[in-house]
């Protein structure tokens, strides 16, 4: 019955590899997000999708490419992984009702370690 | 550029005491403010959401206030319990440079309730 789920929970890989993280929400929300939490626990948005439409965030390298096959899924693909990509990545979702933005629900996170 | 600050960074109080966590933000053009709780190694749990037109929200022992004009929010926890120990994050909902919606997070307050 998990509302927002992510796989895998842990990911350890070598520098230069390509990896993907998957996210699914069963809340019927129309907006999904990816966040990065660094070693200092600072949480920062990377991307947001509304009805499968990507909203670009200017601080993210183009090695990161989100893909949304449908409204319930938002996957994150990372090319040529670097040491600085090591972090916890959180997926979130929300429903955008008219005139207001509702609570964001977060997944459990994926801890990525690049060696 | 929105900046969100939380003071103090860490707080330890004896069980049963009431306490206040502070959040300040630099840009008052927000559409909502959320308080989250994060337990070690876990995702974020939304505690309270205050829309920009509201001044406070209450849920059980928690009360959050919002003063947009002064760029401040507080989270009041009554009769603290050891289970309240966690990191509390304040997040401000606003508009990015690209016109999309995004949450800007504070650095969090790590709360420890001493039994």
């Amino acid at each position: 019955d998990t509302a927002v789920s992510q796989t895998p929970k842990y990911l350890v890989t070598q520098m230069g590899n390509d990896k993907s993280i998957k996210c699914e929400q069963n809340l019927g929300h129309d907006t999904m997000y990816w966040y990065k939490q660094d070693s200092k626990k600072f949480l920062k948005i990377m991307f947001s999708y509304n009805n499968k439409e990507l909203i670009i965030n200017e601080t993210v390298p183009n090695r990161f490419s989100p893909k949304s096959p449908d409204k319930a899924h938002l996957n994150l693909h990372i090319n040529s992984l670097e040491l600085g990509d090591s972090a916890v990545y959180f997926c979130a979702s929300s429903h955008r009702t008219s005139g207001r933005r509702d609570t964001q629900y977060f997944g459990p996170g994926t801890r990525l370690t690049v060696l | 550029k929105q900046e969100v600050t939380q003071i103090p960074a860490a707080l330890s109080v004896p069980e049963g005491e009431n306490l206040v966590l502070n959040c300040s933000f630099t840009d008052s053009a927000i559409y909502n403010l959320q308080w989250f709780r994060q337990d070690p190694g876990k995702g974020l749990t939304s505690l309270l959401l205050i829309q920009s037109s509201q001044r406070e929200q209450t849920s059980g022992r928690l009360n959050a206030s919002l003063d947009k004009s002064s760029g401040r929010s507080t989270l009041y926890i009554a009769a603290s319990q050891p289970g309240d120990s966690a990191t509390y994050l304040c997040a401000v909902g606003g508009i990015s440079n690209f016109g999309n919606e995004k949450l800007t997070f504070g650095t969090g307050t790590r709360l420890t309730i001493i039994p």
Side-chain angles (χ1 to χ4, degrees):
Chain A
D1 286 27
T2 304
V4 183
S5 59
Q6 296 178 228
T7 54
K9 188 172 183 179
Y10 300 97
L11 182 56
V12 180
T13 188
Q14 298 287 335
M15 211 166 46
N17 284 349
D18 303 337
K19 291 294 180 184
S20 292
I21 307 172
K22 296 184 178 181
C23 177
E24 177 181 1
Q25 55 94 4
N26 61 6
L27 297 167
H29 289 164
D30 57 6
T31 306
M32 296 184 71
Y33 312 81
W34 277 109
Y35 289 86
K36 177 180 180 180
Q37 188 172 42
D38 60 25
S39 57
K40 295 182 179 179
K41 305 300 183 185
F42 186 60
L43 201 68
K44 194 169 184 180
I45 190 167
M46 300 175 68
F47 300 100
S48 64
Y49 259 83
N50 180 257
N51 283 319
K52 295 177 56 180
E53 180 180 348
L54 172 65
I55 308 298
I56 300 173
N57 184 287
E58 74 274 19
T59 63
V60 182
N62 57 15
R63 295 183 295 104
F64 291 80
S65 54
K67 285 185 172 53
S68 181
D70 55 58
K71 288 201 303 183
H73 295 84
L74 180 61
N75 303 324
L76 183 64
H77 187 76
I78 314 170
N79 290 326
S80 303
L81 279 156
E82 300 177 356
L83 295 177
D85 297 333
S86 295
V88 181
Y89 292 83
F90 287 99
C91 177
S93 72
S94 69
H95 187 63
R96 186 180 176 182
T97 52
S98 175
R100 50 181 280 172
R101 289 80 171 174
D102 288 339
T103 300
Q104 290 192 21
Y105 292 84
F106 280 74
T110 295
R111 183 175 294 277
L112 171 65
T113 303
V114 182
L115 303 175
Chain B
K1 178 185 175 185
Q2 181 72 271
E3 293 182 3
V4 183
T5 305
Q6 291 185 247
I7 295 173
L11 180 64
S12 293
V13 299
E15 180 179 0
E17 284 198 3
N18 304 326
L19 60 100
V20 175
L21 306 181
N22 297 295
C23 172
S24 61
F25 47 95
T26 55
D27 186 352
S28 61
I30 68 171
Y31 54 78
N32 64 24
L33 184 144
Q34 284 187 246
W35 281 93
F36 291 88
R37 167 187 173 138
Q38 185 174 28
D39 293 283
K42 299 288 179 66
L44 278 71
T45 301
S46 180
L47 298 173
L48 288 164
L49 168 69
I50 310 176
Q51 300 292 347
S52 61
S53 58
Q54 299 172 323
R55 292 193 64 86
E56 68 175 341
Q57 282 288 324
T58 298
S59 175
R61 295 182 294 109
L62 305 180
N63 175 275
S65 69
L66 173 63
D67 185 341
K68 270 182 52 177
S69 59
S70 66
R72 293 179 183 176
S73 175
T74 61
L75 179 66
Y76 174 82
I77 303 177
S80 59
Q81 303 171 358
D84 295 332
S85 297
T87 296
Y88 290 79
L89 295 163
C90 166
V92 174
I95 303 296
S96 77
N97 292 337
F98 283 84
N100 58 298
E101 305 154 14
K102 71 172 192 178
L103 284 180
T104 302
F105 280 81
T107 48
T109 294
R110 190 173 67 253
L111 176 64
T112 302
I113 305 300
I114 305 166

